[in-house]
Amino acid sequence: AFGTGTVTLTVKVNGDALNDADLTITNTATAQVGNESSTSEEVDITVYNPSLDVEKEVINIDEAPFELGDEIDYTVTVTNNGNVTLEDIAFEDDHLDEQAMTNLPEGASLVNGQIVIEELGVGNNITFDYTYTVTSADILEGKVTNTATATADDPTDPSKPDITDTDTTETDLDEVKATFTVEKTSNVTD
């Protein structure tokens, strides 16, 4: 008499294989009893690898070093470089002002004071362009440090850590050369 059975096999995919945006594993199972003909079943399993890439750059870097009141032009590109669509991606940049937040690219919106990228398909990107004006605090620091971050929930398992990427630029500013003169006068009386 022949019975039935179940075999469970767990495969862990790691290393370089996770960097393949189109990672598919073909699983073939074959069963044969004695001299009877074998039965084969094949199943393709897609391994999802959600990933984001943030690239930030200063467009007018050739005008550096910047001075008080100068404008620094930034462009930030957020790309879905994984193999699964990402939704509701939070975008943060510590130098976005109110004007830039109201002048968002198509596909991004302001939700409860935070910029949200509605959806990025595999290989798609969205670009933010804006201007920042150098302040006296920046001059005292000697540079403008600017960080952009994109964060999304893992669509394959919300209990996993968020998918996130960050990029930072540092732009040198013109040195402040303060000079002062001390003039001493005295009034001597006898």
Side-chain angles (χ1 to χ4, degrees):
F2 295 104
T4 60
T6 302
V7 176
T8 303
L9 175 66
T10 302
V11 176
K12 184 175 182 178
V13 180
N14 56 23
D16 291 336
L18 287 176
N19 295 326
D20 185 352
D22 297 318
L23 180 60
T24 301
I25 297 173
T26 300
N27 182 17
T28 304
T30 304
Q32 182 174 355
V33 178
N35 292 330
E36 299 293 318
S37 63
S38 61
T39 302
S40 239
E41 192 68 39
E42 191 173 283
V43 177
D44 287 339
I45 302 166
T46 301
V47 178
Y48 294 105
N49 183 27
S51 181
L52 283 169
D53 181 57
V54 176
E55 295 290 328
K56 181 180 192 79
E57 67 177 298
V58 176
I59 299 299
N60 59 340
I61 193 66
D62 57 327
E63 297 173 21
F66 296 97
E67 299 176 354
L68 179 65
D70 284 352
E71 292 183 339
I72 301 174
D73 297 326
Y74 290 103
T75 189
V76 182
T77 303
V78 179
T79 303
N80 178 350
N81 61 343
N83 66 349
V84 61
T85 296
L86 298 174
E87 296 177 348
D88 299 327
I89 304 159
F91 176 75
E92 297 177 52
D93 189 301
D94 53 6
H95 285 333
L96 275 174
D97 61 14
E98 285 184 28
Q99 179 185 0
M101 287 182 153
T102 59
N103 201 13
L104 296 173
E106 187 176 334
S109 59
L110 197 57
V111 178
N112 297 326
Q114 183 175 31
I115 296 173
V116 176
I117 303 166
E118 293 148 15
E119 179 179 290
L120 275 182
V122 175
N124 292 343
N125 63 53
I126 190 168
T127 300
F128 297 85
D129 295 309
Y130 58 92
T131 299
Y132 174 75
T133 303
V134 177
T135 66
S136 57
D138 298 325
I139 294 293
L140 292 174
E141 185 70 27
K143 62 186 173 191
V144 174
T145 302
N146 187 217
T147 301
T149 303
T151 305
D153 290 334
D154 186 328
T156 64
D157 184 354
S159 68
K160 288 184 177 179
D162 289 340
I163 309 305
T164 189
D165 193 44
T166 299
D167 196 15
T168 300
T169 60
E170 283 191 0
T171 307
D172 292 329
L173 301 177
D174 208 9
E175 275 186 41
V176 176
K177 296 179 181 163
T179 60
F180 62 95
T181 304
V182 175
E183 192 174 306
K184 183 176 179 182
T185 60
S186 70
N187 189 2
V188 180
T189 57
D190 283 325

